Each structure stands twice: as structure tokens, then as C-alpha cells.
Amino acid sequence: MYRFRGWPVLLIASVAASAEWLRTLAPAWVYLTWAILPIALWLLRAGSPERGRWPMVLVIGLLSLAITMTGAQHRLKVIERAWPQERESLVADASRSLEGELHSVLRQAESLAEAAVGAAATPQPRAFELLAAAVPDQGPELGVAIIDSTGVPWAWAGRHRLKVLPSGDSIAARTSDYYIVLETRRHTADGRLVVASVLIWARPLVPDRDRSISELFRRKTGVDLAVYPAGSAPHSPDVFDYQWPTDSGPRLLFSVRPVPPEQGRAKELAVQRGSAVVAWILLFTLMVGWIVTEGGAVHSTLLLAVLWLFVRAPVGTALGFRSIFSPATFFRPFLGPLSSSAGILILTGTIATIAGIGFWRRRFRRNGWTVGLGGFLLVGAPYLISELGRGITPSAEGVSLALWLTWQVTMVVSAAALIIIAAALFRGEGQVGPSWRIWLGVVIALSAAVVGLFVWNTRLGWPDWYTFLWTPALFLVTQPARRWATITGIAVVAGSSAALVTWGAELNGRMQVAQRDVGRLGPVQDPLVIPLLERFADSLEDLPPPRTPAELFTLWDSSRLAQQGYPVRLGVWSRGGIPLTTLLLDSLDLPSSLVATMVRNLDSSQVRQIVQLDRVPGLVYLLLQRVSQNSVVTIALGPRTSLIVPDRLALLLRPGTEKSPLYTLSLSPPEPGTRVDSLRLRWRRDGWVLRGERRLSLPGGVRHVHGVIDMRGPGPLLIRGALVVLFDVGLLGLLWLLVELGAGERPRGISWRRVTRSFQARLAVTLAGFIVLPVIGFTGWSFTRLRADAREDRDLLITQALRDAVLSAGGLLQGPSDLMKDGLRDLGARQDAELALYSGGALV
């Protein structure tokens, strides 16, 4: 026991000061943290050494906290008051480290080339294996190729952004509109050529540029790099010329200009980095304080301090858990700030569960008050969990496994807290009762969960009588019994009810997301579109008009409007309505003839026009912006709905995450009439499918909008529920064990010698070795085979599409380039594939 009891006060004061600094960034809280240090040092000298070096570690933690906050505050002041000097310092530091980074990358490419020279002397299959092993999976993006004497690639590995050419200098930089690549060449003894390349820069619109040198440098230093081909850099003292010495003098490969962030962005980065360090030091200091101090009241106070810290300040965001602590995925004002996000509710439920475990271990005297309070908690537990479940909010992009488990843990700890406290009130000071009551409660709970899958409906969720099915299970698992029986029973009841509530809340959330989607259909105006289009049109006035689809997409992708996710079609038209450049990214109901007519009707004195078109399945906003005397840029935006699917080219340019869709919408053919329904979908359950219907007035007549949500059937749901319940049992058991270890007790009934000599343990290990481990191994092998089969099926599909395209091409491969381009586009439409024609490795 540490003699002086002032440490909790110091810790709470430090937590309060740090939380207020994280929330307001006010320097006064930094001074308060420094004021705590002399008191901490005095307490260290006044205390007894029975706790070893932990008090000194606590003082070091407080000192680190003060130094970190002071450094972050000083950094913010420098950025605010002396930004020009700080900007110059950033550029100078980046320029000094940039040369070393580039030389290091060149050495990596040369090492890769040397390894490829050795691989060129081996048989071709072995050369592929050696090259694949030599290309690193982390760090800068590298590629290597071995070219034979005829100029044909013989073996290769890694990624190649540009076509590998047999001719070139030993060290050379090659550029295109999208990439700058540094290459090194080596000749082998048998006349082959080795080319190793490293990606220096890629345009921001390239989706997979994370391993380029410029992007790695930006993540490391916060300074972006503008890379220029040789001879095209502006005249500026900030430009760094990367040269290579030759016999005739240094040869310029490319130029780099460090681009520091703007003042606001620099301040934001400083706040993020300082807040992250302060948050981690805070948690470490609290953990040390838990070790230094003892006593249930002190530990409870520290736990409440942790909860207050997360509620008061954005600690979860600073630690990198933005999605868990975001109200966008979970929010329910039922418990005030304690249910404002899933992360805070998990902390609240965990602390309440720890408190319940402490009550259970203390054995309160059982009387009428404790029984009445415990019964009240058990009766209110289902309603509390049902109310909290309404805070679950699925994202329109889908629900990942991590997000679903977050919701599940949130519900589990919330339910377990009430049940454990009720069990502590029921336990009393007498002997434990029989365990059969616990197992009967488990059976009733699992049966109620299965019944809940079948009686759930789209209007009320579960019937009013369904809640009473859980009452016997709750009372049975809270009766006095052995510890592990109590843990298992409470975990199964809490886990099964939480899984059921999470499942129902997710279905309700999916119906709400589908309703928002359908609410955008028809003649419904979007108030954000016109201001966004006008802002985009203003940016076009200061830029040269795009001439190619690549320039048009670059212009669009770099705008703020592209980040909103609207379906879009882009184009550049001549004054006479002839398309010069088109980029069809989404399947909008907008014929080219209609756009051409509107371009021709645009008055010569008119610079801009925004038109609303009543199309299927909703309003389309068309911007016509004159960018020169003879060209007009058109931007067509449709409603954000899953009914408008992206084009094949958009899937390539804007790859998304692979998640299961929340719902599926479809439109029926038009029918005569004018009767339409309300703006809401009418949902009904049809077996294990949810179906929604709505009548909608669209051009051509009235259409039915059909919404479908797949509930996946009872089999997959029961299997997933069983796995989740097992996870909950392990989670609650681990939490219980940690509470007992924190209280200084050795878990009763656990002896390694007894376990090793137990016949049951030996039998379990034997059965696991002969049954469980082979099943796990076979399951892993099955998943591996499924992935391999999926890759093979994809390759076969691509091969078949190419074979059909070649057989159907006919005379497409000959003739003028314009005819080849139009014919290739028509051929791709017939094959339902995006086709490109290459000749000698170069795009034609």
C-alpha cells in the first residue's frame, strides 16, 4: 500500500487539465499541469518505497504530459504568429531530407536490378519466382523486368506504370500525363536487359498512388511534392533539381518543389499529432496510477475519470478510433452524453459491468429492498436495450464486420451491467444454489432469441408480449450459483438479447437508408446541387478548356463537387452541338441528342446556363458553361440513388470498397394514370425478405419502386448468433478475470498443476488435436481455395471476353483512328466490357 493517498487527486487534476486542453487548446491548462509536478515530486519523497519504481514512473508520465502539451502549444503559437518563417523552415527541412530520400530510393532500385541480373541466369519459371521475391511489398512502389535481345519482356515482377522500353540511359526518368518514373538499367552476360523502376509521382486522381515517393514523403513530413519533368520546373529557389553525374556533366532527371500545407492545414496537423500523443500519455498515466494506488473506491474514481475524459474531450478521435466514437454510426440521446456514440457507451457499460462484478463479489445482505431493486433492473433491462438499439445507424455504403461487432459489444456490456448488478443484489450472504437454474435460463434465453427471429415485423419490431419471454431467463440466471455458471448464464442471456436487438436495429436502419434513397426520386429538388454547380462553373473560368477525356476527368475529380457522390456525365461540345470529348461515368437517363440540342440553343452571349430536366428516376441538373468561343463544357448530375449504376469506366476510375448492399431497388415499367402514394415505402415481411413498395410519378407514367432487403434466412443467422454468443461469453469471462486480478486475488479453481494432471483436460486436448484442429485447418484451406477459384473464374471471364472481342472485331483493327475508336466503343458495349487496343505494348 502506498502511504500517501494524494495520488488520485493529482491524477484527476491532470486528467481534467489535459481534457480541457484537448477540448479548447487553451494554454492555462498547460500551466496547471506544470503546477502539479512539484506536488508530485514532494509526494514521491514523502511516500514509502513499497511500490517500487511505479511512483517514479507516474511522475515521469506527468512530466511527459506537461512537456508534450507545452510543445504542442508552442507549435500552435508559432504557426499562428510566425507562419511565413515556419513555412520557410518546413521547406528547408523538406529539401534537406528530400535528397537523402531520393538517393535511398535509387539504391533500392539498383539493388533490385542487381538481383534481377542474377535471376536472368536461371530458367524462366525460376526467374519469375526470384523477381517476385525480390520486389518488396512495403515501401516505395518498385517494378522490374528482364527484356531479351529482341525487345520482348522475358520475366517481370512488381508494377509497371509505363511501358518498359529496351532503349535508354543507365539512369533515366520517364514521364507521362499521370506518372513520373525513375528507371535504372543493367545488361546481363547473355545479352538481356534488366530495367528496374520506382514510382516517383502520380496524379492525385490515380486511385492507388499510396506508395509513390511523393505520397510517402507527404505522410512522413506533412509536406507535399510537386514533381516536374526535366526543364519544365518554374524558376524558384524552392525547386530542387535531381541530377545524375555523367562524363559530359550532370544530367537533369526531374525537379521537385516542396509544397508545405496551408496555415490552417498546418495547424490542424499540429493539433492532431499533439492530441494523439497527449491522449496516449494520459491513458498510460492512468494505468500507472491504477498500479500505484489501491482500493475499490480509488480504482472506481479512476475509471470514472477515464469515462469523463472521453465524454469531455475528443480523445477517441485523437487515438485514431474516429468511427467508433462518431455519432454518425450510433447516437441515442436517451442517456445524454453517455450514449452519444458507440465508443462512449461501451466505456459506460464496461465501467458499470466492472462495478456490478465488484458488487457481486462483496455479497450484500439480501432483503426486500435489494430484491425489489434487482427485480426493477431486470424488468427494465429489455426496454433499455431496445431503446439503445434504436441508436444504431448503418451507413449507406454498407456495414463492415468491425462496425457490426462494435454495435454488438455496445449492447452486450449495456445489458450485462444491469443483469450483473441484479445478480449481486439477489446473491445475498447465503450458500450458492443449484446450477440447473442457470442452465434452464440459458435454454429459455436461446429459445426466446430464436422465436424473436420469426416474430419480428417491419411495423412494430417485436410484439408487446415478446418482452415477457425474456423475464424467466433473466430471473433464473441471476439466482445465486457458482461463479463460472453465473458468468456463462449472464453472458449467454446478454449476448443473445444484444445480438437480436442489433439484428433488428440494423434492419430498421437499412429500411431508413432505403427510404432516404427513394425520397430523392421523382420531381424532388436537391437544394445543394445548383450552388455546387455554380461554384464549379466559377472555377472553370480560370482554367484552360479540357481537350481530352483525361483532362476532363482530372478537372472534375479535383473539384469539391466530385466528393459529394452525385452520378455524373461530363462532356465538351462544339458550338454546333458536336461532341468533342465525352466521359460517361454513370447511367443517367440523358440522351446525347438532347444535350446537343441544348448546346446549340445556348445563346452566343450567354456564358452559363443550369437546366432542370425531369427524367427517370429523378431530376437531372445540366450545367452548360462556355469555356471558349467554340467550346462548351457540360456537367449532368442525377439524384444520388442506387437505381443509377456506375459505368464500367467509373468502376475503374473510382474503385469502391466491396461490401454487401444494404438493399436493392428496382423500377417497374410505366403505367397509365396519375395516382401516386406517399413519400414513404410501405414495408412488409415476406418470409426472410423485406419488401417495400411505392408508386412514383415519372415521365411516361406512374411506376412502382420495389425495395428488397435480404434477411439471409434462419440458418446463417443462427450460426452467426452462436459465434457471437461464444464471443460474448469469452469477453465477459475475461473482464471478470481482470477485475479479480486487479483486486489482488488469485482466481479460485485455476491451478496449472491440477489442469495438467486432469483427465478431462487431457481428453479435451486430445479431442482438439484430432477433431478441432483438422476442422480449423480444413476451413482455412477451403477459404484459400475459394479465393483461388474466384481468381481463376475472373481470369477465365476476362480471357473469354477478350477472345470474343477478337473474334468479333473483324476489320476494326484497321482503318482511321476515329473509326477504330467508335468501333471499339460499340464492340465493348456488345461484350459488356471496357476494351482498349494496344500495339507493341503501347495504347493505340
Side-chain angles (χ1 to χ4, degrees):
M1 169 174 59
Y2 204 69
R3 189 159 54 200
F4 193 84
R5 299 303 182 93
W7 286 108
V9 179
L10 286 180
L11 285 175
I12 293 174
S14 300
V15 169
S18 303
E20 293 303 319
W21 182 84
L22 288 171
R23 193 175 68 89
T24 63
L25 301 178
W29 304 105
V30 181
Y31 304 147
L32 177 60
T33 308
W34 277 106
I36 293 173
L37 285 174
I39 305 176
L41 292 173
W42 180 81
L43 291 177
L44 178 65
R45 296 184 60 186
S48 63
E50 296 178 8
R51 285 285 179 176
R53 300 182 181 273
W54 285 112
M56 178 58 73
V57 175
L58 182 59
V59 172
I60 293 175
L62 294 176
L63 179 62
S64 302
L65 190 64
I67 293 175
T68 304
M69 293 170 61
T70 304
Q73 193 69 39
H74 175 71
R75 174 73 174 164
L76 291 176
K77 284 186 177 180
V78 169
I79 294 176
E80 291 177 353
R81 301 178 180 179
W83 173 242
Q85 295 83 353
E86 181 65 17
R87 185 182 182 279
E88 293 298 325
S89 176
L90 283 175
V91 172
D93 293 341
S95 300
R96 282 193 296 267
S97 63
L98 180 60
E99 185 175 4
E101 293 283 343
L102 293 175
H103 282 302
S104 175
V105 168
L106 181 58
R107 285 194 297 269
Q108 286 184 267
E110 291 178 335
S111 300
L112 180 59
E114 294 295 337
V117 170
T122 63
Q124 190 176 27
R126 178 60 178 166
F128 273 101
E129 297 177 359
L130 294 176
L131 293 182
V135 177
D137 296 330
Q138 303 294 330
E141 181 182 303
L142 296 170
V144 62
I146 303 175
I147 303 175
D148 61 15
S149 57
T150 62
V152 177
W154 182 76
W156 56 88
R159 295 200 64 175
H160 300 272
R161 301 284 182 160
L162 302 176
K163 179 186 176 183
V164 180
L165 300 177
S167 59
D169 297 323
S170 59
I171 301 292
R174 298 180 55 209
T175 64
S176 70
D177 291 339
Y178 296 95
Y179 309 108
I180 293 181
V181 176
L182 184 63
E183 293 181 344
T184 177
R185 287 173 169 78
R186 296 287 186 275
H187 291 277
T188 64
D190 55 356
R192 293 192 178 101
L193 176 66
V194 172
V195 181
S197 62
V198 58
L199 180 61
I200 301 296
W201 172 85
R203 274 190 181 274
L205 63 90
V206 175
D208 51 351
R209 64 187 186 100
D210 294 340
R211 295 177 60 190
S212 64
I213 299 300
S214 59
E215 188 66 17
L216 293 175
F217 190 82
R218 185 191 64 80
R219 291 202 297 265
K220 179 180 178 181
T221 63
V223 177
D224 205 351
L225 296 179
V227 186
Y228 304 94
S232 63
H235 295 285
S236 172
D238 296 340
V239 174
F240 169 77
D241 292 330
Y242 188 68
Q243 300 175 338
W244 184 254
T246 62
D247 296 337
S248 58
R251 178 165 51 88
L252 179 61
L253 298 178
F254 54 86
S255 301
V256 181
R257 180 171 61 89
V259 181
E262 298 294 333
Q263 185 177 9
R265 177 58 180 167
K267 184 177 179 180
E268 182 182 351
L269 290 174
V271 170
Q272 290 177 358
R273 293 171 180 174
S275 300
V277 177
V278 168
W280 283 113
I281 294 178
L282 263 178
L283 296 182
F284 173 77
T285 306
L286 287 170
M287 183 185 68
V288 175
W290 181 287
I291 298 174
V292 169
T293 58
E294 70 174 18
V298 176
H299 287 173
S300 300
T301 304
L302 292 179
L303 288 176
L304 292 177
V306 172
L307 177 61
W308 181 87
L309 172 65
F310 277 85
V311 172
R312 182 67 176 173
V315 180
T317 302
L319 295 176
F321 305 111
R322 183 183 298 271
S323 60
I324 298 178
F325 289 89
S326 171
T329 57
F330 183 92
F331 177 78
R332 193 66 180 170
F334 180 68
L335 297 179
L338 298 181
S339 59
S340 59
S341 68
I344 294 178
L345 188 55
I346 288 175
L347 286 175
T348 305
T350 302
I351 293 174
T353 302
I354 292 174
I357 296 173
F359 295 155
W360 190 90
R361 294 176 62 252
R362 290 186 61 181
R363 288 183 175 271
F364 289 100
R365 178 177 296 180
R366 185 172 181 176
N367 52 39
W369 288 102
T370 59
V371 173
L373 181 58
F376 175 77
L377 292 177
L378 290 184
V379 172
Y383 296 99
L384 174 66
I385 302 307
S386 177
E387 181 67 24
L388 292 178
R390 298 178 183 177
I392 294 176
T393 308
S395 172
E397 286 76 22
V399 178
S400 62
L401 178 61
L403 181 58
W404 198 93
L405 287 178
T406 300
W407 293 335
Q408 169 68 17
V409 173
T410 303
M411 296 295 104
V412 165
V413 295
S414 302
L418 295 181
I419 299 174
I420 292 175
I421 294 175
L425 296 174
F426 288 160
R427 189 183 186 195
E429 298 176 343
Q431 299 294 326
V432 299
S435 299
W436 65 265
R437 295 181 298 187
I438 301 293
W439 306 123
L440 179 60
V442 168
V443 173
I444 294 176
L446 294 178
S447 303
V450 173
V451 172
L453 295 177
F454 289 88
V455 301
W456 183 89
N457 59 78
T458 59
R459 189 170 62 91
L460 299 175
W462 288 278
D464 295 335
W465 55 265
Y466 175 72
T467 305
F468 297 101
L469 292 183
W470 290 90
T471 305
L474 290 170
F475 277 97
L476 287 172
V477 298
T478 53
Q479 297 305 307
R482 294 184 181 274
R483 179 184 54 177
W484 285 108
T486 300
I487 294 174
T488 305
I490 293 176
V492 170
V493 173
S496 56
S497 61
L500 189 67
V501 169
T502 304
W503 171 75
E506 182 190 358
L507 289 179
N508 283 324
R510 292 165 72 177
M511 289 190 294
Q512 293 175 8
V513 174
Q515 175 57 45
R516 289 197 296 267
D517 190 328
V518 175
R520 305 185 188 105
L521 304 180
V524 178
Q525 296 186 352
D526 191 335
L528 296 178
V529 173
I530 293 181
L532 290 174
L533 281 175
E534 290 178 345
R535 186 180 304 177
F536 178 74
D538 293 337
S539 66
L540 292 177
E541 297 177 354
D542 302 328
L543 299 174
R547 298 175 305 229
T548 63
E551 294 179 357
L552 185 60
F553 181 76
T554 302
L555 186 65
W556 164 257
D557 191 71
S558 59
S559 66
R560 292 183 178 271
L561 186 56
Q563 303 172 3
Q564 304 301 319
Y566 287 98
V568 62
R569 283 195 174 188
L570 312 173
V572 180
W573 301 74
S574 68
R575 186 171 55 181
I578 300 175
L580 304 178
T581 295
T582 57
L583 200 58
L584 310 180
L585 297 179
D586 295 282
S587 57
L588 291 180
D589 178 27
L590 190 64
S592 299
S593 58
L594 177 59
V595 180
T597 301
M598 303 193 70
V599 170
R600 286 194 297 268
N601 294 336
L602 185 66
D603 190 82
S604 58
S605 61
Q606 192 173 6
V607 178
R608 180 185 307 169
Q609 183 181 9
I610 298 178
V611 184
Q612 298 182 20
L613 303 173
D614 193 9
R615 308 297 298 177
V616 178
L619 288 180
V620 174
Y621 295 82
L622 179 63
L623 166 69
L624 298 96
Q625 176 71 26
R626 191 181 301 279
V627 293
S628 68
Q629 190 65 26
N630 297 318
S631 60
V632 176
V633 171
T634 61
I635 308 291
L637 299 181
R640 289 177 290 187
T641 172
S642 60
L643 288 172
I644 300 178
V645 297
D647 195 71
R648 295 185 302 269
L649 182 60
L651 295 176
L652 177 64
L653 296 175
R654 302 180 303 196
T657 56
E658 296 183 1
K659 295 181 181 179
S660 300
L662 298 180
Y663 56 90
T664 303
L665 294 183
S666 60
L667 279 178
S668 69
E671 300 176 356
T674 59
R675 187 178 66 85
V676 298
D677 296 331
S678 63
L679 295 179
R680 300 193 60 83
L681 284 169
R682 298 193 307 271
W683 291 96
R684 60 183 175 85
R685 179 172 179 175
D686 185 7
W688 294 96
V689 175
L690 303 182
R691 302 187 184 276
E693 300 286 341
R694 180 194 168 192
R695 292 171 62 89
L696 186 67
S697 178
L698 291 173
V702 176
R703 296 174 182 253
H704 288 270
V705 182
H706 303 274
V708 177
I709 296 178
D710 184 12
M711 301 171 65
R712 300 183 180 179
L717 290 178
L718 291 176
I719 293 174
R720 186 175 70 174
L723 295 176
V724 168
V725 170
L726 289 177
F727 170 77
D728 296 334
V729 172
L731 179 64
L732 185 59
L734 178 62
L735 188 60
W736 202 297
L737 181 62
L738 292 176
V739 171
E740 293 190 349
L741 293 177
E745 292 187 6
R746 180 180 178 183
R748 298 184 300 273
I750 298 178
S751 173
W752 177 250
R753 179 177 298 179
R754 182 179 177 183
V755 170
T756 55
R757 294 182 178 180
S758 171
F759 172 75
Q760 292 88 345
R762 295 178 181 180
L763 180 62
V765 172
T766 303
L767 292 177
F770 282 94
I771 298 177
V772 178
L773 292 181
V775 169
I776 294 177
F778 179 75
T779 303
W781 176 82
S782 300
F783 279 114
T784 304
R785 284 300 309 165
L786 285 175
R787 285 196 295 267
D789 291 343
R791 287 194 297 267
E792 292 177 1
D793 293 342
R794 180 195 62 190
D795 294 341
L796 288 175
L797 183 62
I798 294 174
T799 303
Q800 183 64 37
L802 291 174
R803 184 183 295 112
D804 294 343
V806 171
L807 294 177
S808 305
L812 177 65
L813 304 182
Q814 299 176 357
S817 59
D818 294 339
L819 295 179
M820 292 173 60
K821 187 180 301 184
D822 295 338
L824 194 63
R825 186 182 299 112
D826 296 339
L827 181 60
R830 293 198 302 269
Q831 299 292 335
D832 193 21
E834 197 70 30
L835 302 176
L837 180 62
Y838 285 80
S839 177
L843 179 65
V844 175

